[in-house]
Amino acid sequence: MAQPQSGSGTSRRTFLRSVGVTGGAGAMFATMGALGLAPTAAYAAEKEAPFQPPRRGDFTLQGRTGKPAEVVVIGAGIAGLTSAYELGKAGYDCTVLEARDRVGGRNLTVRGGDTLTDINGVRQTAGFSKGQYMNAGPARLAQWMVTLDYCRELGVPIEVFTNSNASAFIYNPGTGMTAPVRYRTAKADVYGYVSELLAKATNAGALDGELTADDKERLLTFLKSYGSLGADHTYTGTEHRGFTVDPGASGTPGTELGDVPTLSEVFASNVGRSFSFEFGYDQAMLMFQPVGGMDRIPGAFARAIGEERIRTGAPVTDIRNTGDGVVVTYTQHGRTRTVKADYCIATLAPHILAKTSHNLGSAVQTALLAVRPSYASKIGLEYKSRWWERDFRIFGGITETDMDLDHIWYPSYGHLGDRGVIIGYYNTGAHSEVYSALTPAQRLERAVAQGVAIHGEKYRTELAASFSHQWKLAPYLEGAWHSMPGGPDAPAYAPLNQAQGNVYFAGDYLSYLDAWQHGAITSARKVVTELHRRVLAA
Amino acid sequence: MAQPQSGSGTSRRTFLRSVGVTGGAGAMFATMGALGLAPTAAYAAEKEAPFQPPRRGDFTLQGRTGKPAEVVVIGAGIAGLTSAYELGKAGYDCTVLEARDRVGGRNLTVRGGDTLTDINGVRQTAGFSKGQYMNAGPARLAQWMVTLDYCRELGVPIEVFTNSNASAFIYNPGTGMTAPVRYRTAKADVYGYVSELLAKATNAGALDGELTADDKERLLTFLKSYGSLGADHTYTGTEHRGFTVDPGASGTPGTELGDVPTLSEVFASNVGRSFSFEFGYDQAMLMFQPVGGMDRIPGAFARAIGEERIRTGAPVTDIRNTGDGVVVTYTQHGRTRTVKADYCIATLAPHILAKTSHNLGSAVQTALLAVRPSYASKIGLEYKSRWWERDFRIFGGITETDMDLDHIWYPSYGHLGDRGVIIGYYNTGAHSEVYSALTPAQRLERAVAQGVAIHGEKYRTELAASFSHQWKLAPYLEGAWHSMPGGPDAPAYAPLNQAQGNVYFAGDYLSYLDAWQHGAITSARKVVTELHRRVLAA
């Protein structure tokens, strides 16, 4: 997630510290509440998105009748669909042009029978079984994201996306590890030693300048619980690590997992590398996904917009501001066509728009070229059995590794079923590039070989089907997200953050949530609000 | 979870430390793998439950025909159902006697229209809407528990139980807190200060006796990431805390949540009190629940056993070993009946069995009386709207407080729907006793008043229905779990861990997972195995 700017002042903080020091935690939190800082009901209300969808009443109150305006939306990704959907609420006459043969853009769910051809002409057909799918693009929704509001509004059921799992593995062979460890084990060891060290330093008086006697007592109580420390504040293992024989009936107390590695071993293995991942505002559990595939969202958008308004297989070849509107040229079924409209919302990926003929000016073109695509990729591996559930008792979640597959995702649906689709790599940047240079068969082989090192031979022998998807090679998209130094409000991108004549720009790249549907939606809402205000003022 | 005994030896640990110190992490993990300690595929196989279900073939191989034996099972809770189900696989002729009017025992799902009367004659009918329910007893399944194997075998679909949520609250007014904080915020602050303190001590050389230069560098790298420390290793807040205005489109970078309390304030508020909860082997996410209610499990067991074998509303009044079998007396429809069988498996709660007439001897009676019931309770609160999702963006999880409601559970099903059931208190011990002494109306008022302090007035104004359940007051159960000093293998309970004549004892109390269905199941499997072995040998 792009680092948002810090919005809070030091003087308030200093004030609060002084209140806290003299009044204790109670006075502190009371003061925070009074200042509107604490997460009370009032705080929740403050978080409500200020977006007001356009309504027909906005015009009828002015005594106007008829269509407010014609709008051509380029791109049926999430930004384009949100734009057409929200404008449609007020009666705007929207036409959506989509270059690809389906709506959703990077929101792409691959099911059995789906055929995709990449920009090099390499064609794959997914052999997945009925009910099995992979989300090749976005796959998770944080609770606070507006995407969930659209799931509610459009009737898209959701379920938990299993973003973190104590039973998943960490495996960093680059550090010399020769076997994976479970998250639960790695956390127990890292937190145990961190707690032991801090307890030692505290007890030795090394932090007397930082801690009052009360602080020390409270800190030690916390560390003992958090790190499972013994009475002498040392870490010697804990049942949190797991068991080799699970506890059960009388006579079976269970056997705790192995012996505890030393502090040096634990930190040398770098198992704590990704512990902070699950603290991210965008990644912290609970996370969610639509039931049945992420493309339930664009599908629901398309139905709400009216599928007759959406033209797929219709790549745009020219975008032109005229004095009183826009003319957009596209091809469909081998013929060249044009759409005239009052306004255009261009939601193409910026590096694709930069390759498209337009008369938007050199400042726009320079800004578009300043946005560089970044790459990511995934492979879906369908298995004949859910051996990760039966043999490893892993029901979802993510295994982390320093191999170039980066992440393995166990499926968040179909638990206890016969088959399932593992994401065998979800990698980015240079690791993604490694796989983009390979054939689908080579990608599969590389991913499976690495997965075998973690899970054993069933990772190969139970395999039933696979499908690899490299966003770099996806027609009309050619990227997963964007490199934009300075963030979307940096001066380099200013021409894209305002209308150019009758053309508006929207997309996740024009947000602080690049690569998230939340970013695409909020960008679209911003443009919809601006356009609607302009039309109302006209 | 009962603390299992430690099973690992110090000498192996010392050996491993020496390997680790000289060879680094790689040698360490290689050695662990060679010793069978690391979680490889072999390790997973080692964890497979050794239970072998009885089969018809066990007898036919011996040339036997007909029913192997008649067994009367007392109690249709999870231990009783597992016993009858597993014995039934080999053709045992089982009869299950259940005192209550439904199967499941403490596995109890309450739905609209359900009426329950407590031991004081207080009657409640749940007014929940269609599709809404509360699991009054067990509500979560850990991935490793054998309960999930039965869900697979019996065709019970599962979904994630949302046991931890970064968006849920912590509120400890007992420490002086006057407003709740989100878990994400509390974690960021606690981990931030813990990391800052340990970095300071490390940099000051206070731990030079503990850490090599490599250790220090790796530790500092970890702390910086884990605690979101600045370049100078101080904690001054992080986006992990959350936002008052969420980041969105260009122009909306987001506003990070308030100012950061001091270390003294954070530890004085005791928000870290329950952080280690989610590290528990039995409580770590991911956790699961049956879709539609926990009682889908006993329901599926009952269908598999054959409902004609199960007599509900049939409390047992006498249990008698005879020379060659058992005679069990019970009442049903106001009449006294007896069942004669070869064997009995008694799965009643031990304090209930102790009140039942039997000829099992004084050693058994003394052992039964040594097990004391413990108490827990829940209230289900159905709301007309899912305001916690709309206003607070909380989609499941648990809010922790030091008020006597103990825990508030947001529902793990029905997300984005119109209505939902919050568990308004899930409390134990003395806190549970407070509510057991109240009328249902008083319990509701007390729970709602506390919930309002956390969530505001909607906690009261949106309420549609409620149902409170105190396990202390549940007929024929009168408890939630058990107090058994020394664990189930302590000498005091020895008479219950072996057959007494033809009577066997099973239940979660005779396991290391008291109060968990896994405990009841493994206890039942142990007894089934013993009984079957005895019959085969006869």
Side-chain angles (χ1 to χ4, degrees), chain A residues 12-32 209-212 214-215 218, chain B residues 193 260-269:
Chain A
R12 267 202 312 192
R13 182 176 179 199
T14 307
F15 168 67
L16 285 163
R17 279 181 186 266
S18 71
V19 173
V21 166
T22 56
M28 167 68 193
F29 280 101
T31 309
M32 285 181 72
E210 313 288 331
L211 302 171
T212 67
D214 278 351
D215 292 342
R218 290 163 178 160
Chain B
Y193 283 120
V260 185
T262 65
L263 181 150
S264 292
E265 289 151 10
V266 168
F267 283 97
S269 69

Side-chain angles (χ1 to χ4, degrees), chain A residues 145-387:
Chain A
M145 291 182 174
V146 295
T147 322
L148 284 185
D149 298 337
Y150 285 90
C151 290
R152 182 189 292 114
E153 187 168 324
L154 297 167
V156 175
I158 60 167
E159 63 195 355
V160 172
F161 176 85
T162 59
N163 209 32
S164 313
N165 188 353
S167 296
F169 291 115
I170 301 170
Y171 183 45
N172 300 325
T175 69
M177 283 176 75
T178 59
V181 295
R182 306 259 185 183
Y183 258 96
R184 68 170 82 248
T185 314
K187 281 185 176 177
D189 291 342
V190 172
Y191 298 168
Y193 283 120
V194 161
S195 297
E196 176 181 317
L197 288 171
L198 185 50
K200 273 185 182 157
T202 303
N203 283 324
L207 293 161
D208 283 359
E210 313 288 331
L211 302 171
T212 67
D214 278 351
D215 292 342
K216 283 170 78 163
E217 187 187 327
R218 290 163 178 160
L219 176 63
L220 289 168
T221 300
F222 169 75
L223 294 173
K224 212 167 157 181
S225 153
Y226 186 68
S228 296
L229 303 185
D232 60 349
H233 292 120
T234 61
Y235 174 69
T236 57
T238 160
E239 64 162 17
H240 296 168
R241 304 184 79 240
F243 287 77
T244 52
V245 176
D246 285 331
S250 299
T252 309
T255 306
E256 281 186 29
L257 181 63
D259 290 70
V260 185
T262 65
L263 181 152
S264 292
E265 290 151 11
V266 168
F267 283 98
S269 69
N270 205 11
V271 289
R273 175 171 59 93
S274 53
F275 285 1
S276 63
F277 168 75
E278 67 190 60
F279 306 150
Y281 190 55
D282 49 353
Q283 296 287 5
M285 284 282 275
L286 299 164
M287 304 282 289
F288 292 85
Q289 66 182 12
V291 175
M294 190 58 83
D295 69 354
R296 299 299 191 215
I297 294 175
F301 265 124
R303 281 192 300 279
I305 292 164
E307 300 198 6
E308 72 286 359
R309 295 188 173 277
I310 303 171
R311 300 177 196 171
T312 56
V316 165
T317 54
D318 186 68
I319 302 166
R320 203 142 298 269
N321 265 311
T322 59
D324 58 351
V326 293
V327 176
V328 174
T329 308
Y330 66 100
T331 60
Q332 195 182 32
H333 308 310
R335 293 180 53 187
T336 299
R337 300 166 186 263
T338 60
V339 185
K340 290 185 185 175
D342 300 307
Y343 300 97
C344 172
I345 301 178
T347 71
L348 301 79
H351 52 286
I352 301 296
L353 180 52
K355 293 195 283 189
T356 306
S357 167
H358 65 73
N359 74 342
L360 303 171
S362 62
V364 165
Q365 185 66 5
T366 302
L368 290 170
L369 290 170
V371 184
R372 300 309 311 152
S374 300
Y375 303 128
S377 43
K378 286 182 187 165
I379 191 168
L381 306 173
E382 181 176 326
Y383 286 95
K384 289 178 281 187
S385 68
R386 295 174 81 96
W387 49 262

Side-chain angles (χ1 to χ4, degrees), chain A residues 1 4-5 9 12-13 16-17 20-21 25-26 28-30 37-39 43-44 46-48 143-145 148-149 151-152 156 158 162 164-167 169 176 178-182 184 190-191 193-194 197-198 200-201 206-207 210-211 215 218-219 222 225-226 235-236 239-240 242-244 246-253 257-259 261-265 267-268 272 276 279-281 284-286 288 390-391 393-396 415-416 488-489 497 510-513 518 522-523 526, chain B residues 1 4 9 12-13 16-17 20-21 25-26 28-30 37-39 43-44 46-48 143-145 148-149 151-152 156 158 160 162 164-167 169 176 178-182 184 190-191 193-194 197-198 200-201 206-207 210-211 215 218-219 222 225-226 236 239-240 242-244 246-254 257-259 261-265 267-268 272 276 279-281 284-286 288 390-391 393-396 415-416 488-489 497 510-513 518 522-523 526:
Chain A
M1 170 176 166
Q5 295 163 11
R12 267 202 312 192
R13 182 176 179 199
L16 285 163
R17 279 181 186 266
V21 166
M28 167 68 193
F29 280 101
L37 298 175
Y43 154 76
E46 187 188 350
K47 288 173 70 86
E48 289 289 325
Q143 293 163 87
W144 55 270
M145 291 182 174
L148 284 185
D149 298 337
C151 290
R152 182 189 292 114
V156 175
I158 60 167
T162 59
S164 313
N165 188 353
S167 296
F169 291 115
T178 59
V181 295
R182 306 259 185 183
R184 68 170 82 248
V190 172
Y191 298 168
Y193 283 120
V194 161
L197 288 171
L198 185 50
K200 273 185 182 157
L207 293 161
E210 313 288 331
L211 302 171
D215 292 342
R218 290 163 178 160
L219 176 63
F222 169 75
S225 153
Y226 186 68
Y235 174 69
T236 57
E239 64 162 17
H240 296 168
F243 287 77
T244 52
D246 285 331
S250 299
T252 309
L257 181 63
D259 290 70
T262 65
L263 181 152
S264 292
E265 290 151 11
F267 283 98
S276 63
F279 306 150
Y281 190 55
M285 284 282 275
L286 299 164
F288 292 85
R390 286 181 182 264
D391 297 353
R393 316 290 301 194
I394 295 174
F395 289 76
H415 301 301
L416 301 178
D489 284 313
N497 282 318
L510 297 174
S511 84
Y512 286 85
L513 272 298
H518 174 95
T522 52
S523 175
K526 171 177 174 283
Chain B
M1 170 175 168
R12 268 203 310 193
R13 181 177 178 197
L16 284 163
R17 279 179 187 268
V21 167
M28 167 69 193
F29 281 101
L37 299 175
Y43 154 76
E46 186 188 350
K47 289 174 69 87
E48 289 291 323
Q143 291 162 90
W144 56 269
M145 291 181 173
L148 283 186
D149 298 338
C151 290
R152 182 191 293 113
V156 175
I158 60 167
V160 172
T162 59
S164 313
N165 188 354
S167 297
F169 290 115
T178 59
V181 294
R182 305 262 185 181
R184 67 169 84 248
V190 171
Y191 297 168
Y193 283 120
V194 161
L197 288 172
L198 184 51
K200 274 185 181 156
L207 294 162
E210 312 289 331
L211 301 171
D215 292 342
R218 290 162 177 161
L219 176 62
F222 169 76
S225 153
Y226 186 68
T236 57
E239 64 162 17
H240 295 168
F243 288 77
T244 50
D246 284 332
S250 298
T252 309
L257 180 64
D259 290 71
T262 65
L263 181 150
S264 292
E265 289 151 10
F267 283 97
S276 63
F279 306 149
Y281 190 56
M285 285 282 275
L286 299 163
F288 292 86
R390 286 182 181 263
D391 298 353
R393 316 291 300 195
I394 295 174
F395 289 76
H415 301 301
L416 301 178
D489 284 313
N497 282 319
L510 296 174
S511 85
Y512 286 85
L513 273 297
H518 174 95
T522 52
S523 175
K526 171 176 176 283

